[in-house]
């Protein structure tokens, strides 16, 4: 992790009760620490927040590293509180909680079962973040 972001990641992780390594792994997977990253779908900043999600999290400038990391960490924390499982939380972060909710109704709260039916991008994302974190 670039030294410039160490303090922001550490503080955000502590504030939202998330493992620092998980937050760092999400940032690495989402933007490789590029604060100006923008996806074709419109996700912005280091943790690739969609405009509506960013606004809902109180992020006024998604390209500001501190705001983006705090917003993204708050969001993954919310997803973890909702699902109680890091893989499901990451799937929701990437694929959207609505899709994860539908998958849970069909397959239960079992990432292995859900993963078999999730988009390849989400399968790869969860695997990549978990591997980099571990």
């Amino acid at each position: 992790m670039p030294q410039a972001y160490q303090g922001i990641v550490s503080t955000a992780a502590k504030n939202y009760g998330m493992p620092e390594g998980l937050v760092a792994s999400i940032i690495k997977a989402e933007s490789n620490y590029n604060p100006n990253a923008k996806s074709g779908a419109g996700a912005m900043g280091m943790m690739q927040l969609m405009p509506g999600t960013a606004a809902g999290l109180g992020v006024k400038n998604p390209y500001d590293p501190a705001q983006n990391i705090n917003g993204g960490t708050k969001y993954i924390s919310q997803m973890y509180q909702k699902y109680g499982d890091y893989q499901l939380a990451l799937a929701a972060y990437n694929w959207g909680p609505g899709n994860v909710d539908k998958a849970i109704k069909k397959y239960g709260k079992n990432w292995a079962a859900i993963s078999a039916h999730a988009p390849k991008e989400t399968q790869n994302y969860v695997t990549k973040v978990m591997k980099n974190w571990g």
Side-chain angles (χ1 to χ4, degrees):
M1 170 183 343
Q3 193 65 34
Y5 305 118
Q6 180 71 50
I8 299 168
V9 170
S10 182
T11 300
K14 192 176 295 177
N15 287 345
Y16 294 105
M18 288 285 97
E20 191 174 322
L22 174 64
V23 176
S25 186
I26 291 170
I27 296 169
K28 176 94 174 136
E30 291 287 355
S31 70
N32 199 27
Y33 291 92
N34 177 0
N36 299 311
K38 184 164 187 177
S39 76
M44 303 169 288
M46 292 175 74
M47 292 190 78
Q48 289 291 279
L49 302 175
M50 291 299 284
T53 303
L57 294 165
V59 176
K60 298 196 184 331
N61 178 3
Y63 295 105
D64 174 79
Q67 287 187 43
N68 190 283
I69 292 169
N70 273 293
T73 304
K74 181 178 183 180
Y75 188 59
I76 193 64
S77 172
Q78 291 172 347
M79 295 302 99
Y80 181 71
Q81 287 171 17
K82 179 173 181 164
Y83 298 110
D85 178 276
Y86 288 115
Q87 291 171 307
L88 293 175
L90 288 166
Y93 193 97
N94 177 264
W95 190 23
N99 290 317
V100 172
D101 290 344
K102 287 178 199 163
I104 287 172
K105 281 183 183 160
K106 274 188 171 178
Y107 309 108
K109 265 189 162 181
N110 178 332
W111 171 243
I114 291 170
S115 175
H117 302 280
K120 198 73 175 154
E121 177 194 333
T122 300
Q123 295 173 28
N124 293 341
Y125 177 79
V126 172
T127 299
K128 181 179 185 178
V129 173
M130 293 298 290
K131 183 179 176 193
N132 288 341
W133 175 26

